[in-house]
Each structure stands twice: as structure tokens, then as C-alpha cells.
């Protein structure tokens, strides 16, 4: 009876020791998994923050590019307006030059006519003077 009790007590001790070892290993494994989970969460948070910053930078670049595009379009539109205004001004200047040329030609024509008339009158006067003298 004593040896059965001693064997039972020894078996209980072995069982308790094995149970304690298993609980220790389970606690260590829990700690390992908790550490891995914390590291994974930290890595995930870091990656999410980096991605968020990258996205912010990309959006900022996109906004800057859009502003630059609008500014270039506005500058192009202004230059096109200026070119159209210069073309219209050039047309006016060319028309004025043609008008001035036509007026100059008309004056030269009149001057030539007046000159011819004066020569004719001078010739008639000379002929009349010659006739009087004769």
C-alpha cells in the first residue's frame, strides 16, 4: 500500500513537473508570438506611414505639375493673344503704308501734270513772244 502511494506520489510529481515544463514552454511560446506580433504591427505601421508619406509627396507633385501646366497654358494663351494683336497691328501698318504709297504716287502724278502744264504754258509764251517779236 505504501509503495502504491509512493508510486502515485512519484507519478504526481512527474506529472506536475511535466505540467510545469509545458506551461513554461507555452508561456515562452506566447511571449515569442507576442513579440513577433508586436514586430509585425510595428513594421506594418512603419510601412503604412511610409506609403502615406509617399502618397502625400506624389499628390503634392501632381498638384505642382497641374499648377505648372495651367501656368504654361495661360502663358501660351497670352502669347497667342499677343501674336494675334501684333498680326492685326501689322495689317494696319501695311494698309497705312499702301495708302501712303498710293497718295505719294497720286502727288507725283499731279506734279507731273502740273509740270507738263507749266512747260506747255512756257512754250506758248515763248511762241507768243516770238510771234510778237517777228
Amino acid at each position: 500500500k505504501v509503495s502504491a502511494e509512493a508510486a502515485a506520489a512519484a507519478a504526481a510529481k512527474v506529472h506536475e513537473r511535466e505540467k510545469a515544463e509545458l506551461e513554461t514552454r507555452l508561456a515562452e511560446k506566447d511571449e515569442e508570438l507576442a513579440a513577433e506580433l508586436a514586430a509585425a504591427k510595428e513594421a506594418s505601421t512603419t510601412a503604412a506611414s511610409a506609403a502615406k508619406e509617399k502618397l502625400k509627396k506624389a499628390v503634392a507633385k501632381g498638384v505642382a505639375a497641374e499648377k505648372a501646366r495651367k501656368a504654361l497654358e495661360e502663358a501660351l494663351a497670352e502669347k497667342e493673344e499677343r501674336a494675334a494683336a501684333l498680326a492685326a497691328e501689322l495689317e494696319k501698318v501695311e494698309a497705312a503704308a499702301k495708302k501712303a504709297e498710293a497718295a505719294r504716287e497720286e502727288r507725283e502724278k499731279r506734279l507731273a501734270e502740273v509740270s507738263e502744264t507749266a512747260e506747255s504754258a512756257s512754250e506758248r509764251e515763248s511762241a507768243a513772244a516770238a510771234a510778237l517779236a517777228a
Side-chain angles (χ1 to χ4, degrees), residues 96-114:
K98 283 181 183 178
K99 191 174 180 181
E101 179 65 18
R104 185 187 62 75
E105 288 174 1
E106 184 63 28
R107 276 195 306 275
E108 286 179 0
K109 184 178 172 184
R110 283 192 212 136
L111 186 59
E113 288 173 358
V114 167

Side-chain angles (χ1 to χ4, degrees), residues 11-90:
K13 271 187 175 180
V14 168
H15 177 71
E16 283 298 318
R17 188 173 60 238
E18 287 176 353
K19 182 180 173 188
E21 285 176 12
L22 285 175
E23 286 175 352
T24 301
R25 277 194 266 158
L26 184 59
E28 288 172 355
K29 192 66 174 171
D30 274 353
E31 286 176 15
E32 276 181 44
L33 291 174
E36 286 178 21
L37 179 61
K41 281 183 180 178
E42 180 66 26
S44 174
T45 302
T46 302
S49 292
K52 190 175 180 181
E53 283 302 311
K54 201 171 188 179
L55 180 61
K56 279 183 186 178
K57 287 179 182 176
V59 168
K61 279 184 181 178
V63 168
E66 182 64 18
K67 284 181 182 177
R69 185 188 62 78
K70 283 183 181 179
L72 286 173
E73 285 178 354
E74 288 172 6
L76 180 61
E78 287 174 8
K79 288 193 185 305
E80 287 173 347
E81 287 175 17
R82 180 74 177 130
L86 287 173
E89 187 66 27
L90 180 61

